[in-house]
Amino acid sequence: MKKWLPLIIIAVVAIGIYSWVKGVNNTAVTLNENIKESWGNVETAYERRNSLIGNLVNTVKGAADFEKSTLEAVINARSKATQTTIDPTNITPEQLAAFSQAQSGVNSALSRLLVTVEKYPDLKANQNFIKLQDELVSTENQILTARTRFNEAVKPYNNHIKVFPNNLLAGILGFSEKGYFKASEGAENAPEVNFDFK
C-alpha cells in the first residue's frame, strides 16, 4: 500500500488542480457570455435611438424652416456614433471611453435640437413630433437601463478573474479585465437651457 500512496496523492492533486482550472475557466466563460449579451442590449438601445433620430430630423425638416446647422450637427453626431464600434469579446476601458464620447456628441446635438424647436409652435403641436419626442425619452431610459445592466454583468466577471487564486490562471486562460461604462465628461453639470432666441 505504501508504494501506491505517492501515486494516489499525485492523482488526487491532479484531479484537484483540473477541477479548479475547469471551474475558473467555465465560470469566466459563462460570465463573459453574460457581458456579450448585455453589450448586445446596449447596442440595440443605441441603434433604436439612431433610427429615431432619422425620423425626428425628417419631421423637423418638413415642419419648420429650421436652422440648417442644428440639423447638420445632429446628423453628423449620429453618423459618428454609428461608426464607433466595440468588439464584445475584447471590451476595454479605452473602447468604452471612445464609444461614450461619440454617444455624448449625439446627446449634445439632440439637446440643442430640442431646445431650438421651442421657436416653432406648429412643430411642437405636431403629433408626429410629440410621439417622436416620447419615443426618444423612452429610448434614453432603455439606454440607461442597458448600460446599468452591462455594468452589473461586468462586475462579477471582473471579480471572478481578479480574486486570488483565480488571478493566477485568468491571464493564462486569456481572460482580462473588462471596462465599465462611465458617465461622460461634464455629465455631473446640469445642462444650460436657454429659450431666449433674440
Side-chain angles (χ1 to χ4, degrees):
M1 182 69 180
K2 283 187 177 181
K3 72 176 189 176
W4 297 106
L5 188 60
L7 290 175
I8 292 171
I9 292 171
I10 290 171
V12 168
V13 169
I15 290 170
I17 290 172
Y18 170 78
S19 297
W20 172 58
V21 171
K22 179 182 170 191
V24 169
N25 183 73
N26 291 352
T27 301
V29 167
T30 301
L31 294 172
N32 195 32
E33 288 303 311
N34 291 342
I35 291 171
K36 289 180 190 176
E37 178 186 18
S38 294
W39 179 249
N41 293 336
V42 169
E43 287 184 321
T44 300
Y46 278 115
E47 187 176 318
R48 179 172 188 239
R49 179 174 73 173
N50 288 333
S51 297
L52 287 171
I53 288 171
N55 292 335
L56 179 68
V57 166
N58 289 333
T59 301
V60 169
K61 202 186 292 183
D65 177 22
F66 208 70
E67 283 82 352
K68 187 176 178 185
S69 63
T70 305
L71 285 175
E72 284 176 355
V74 173
I75 292 166
N76 290 339
R78 176 184 174 224
S79 175
K80 185 176 178 183
T82 57
Q83 292 172 1
T84 306
T85 58
I86 292 180
D87 175 11
T89 60
N90 185 28
I91 297 172
T92 64
E94 294 77 20
Q95 287 177 327
L96 280 177
F99 185 84
S100 291
Q101 184 176 9
Q103 295 302 330
S104 68
V106 174
N107 291 343
S108 176
L110 267 179
S111 296
R112 286 195 306 275
L113 173 69
L114 295 175
V115 168
T116 308
V117 157
E118 293 296 317
K119 284 203 280 187
Y120 300 93
D122 291 344
L123 180 57
K124 289 192 302 182
N126 179 309
Q127 290 303 311
N128 288 337
F129 183 75
I130 292 169
K131 184 170 178 8
L132 281 169
Q133 272 188 305
D134 290 344
E135 288 289 330
L136 277 172
V137 169
S138 170
T139 300
E140 291 301 323
N141 288 334
Q142 287 178 8
I143 289 170
L144 174 63
T145 300
R147 286 175 60 154
T148 301
R149 288 184 180 153
F150 173 80
N151 283 347
E152 288 170 353
V154 168
K155 183 180 178 181
Y157 169 84
N158 282 346
N159 285 342
H160 178 71
I161 66 164
K162 290 167 81 175
V163 297
F164 181 82
N166 294 358
N167 61 346
L168 301 175
L169 279 179
I172 295 169
L173 295 173
F175 297 105
S176 57
E177 182 179 1
K178 304 287 187 191
Y180 289 96
F181 259 115
K182 295 180 182 170
S184 304
E185 194 173 316
E188 70 279 1
N189 303 321
E192 183 180 326
V193 179
N194 181 5
F195 293 112
D196 183 17
F197 297 103
K198 294 176 184 174

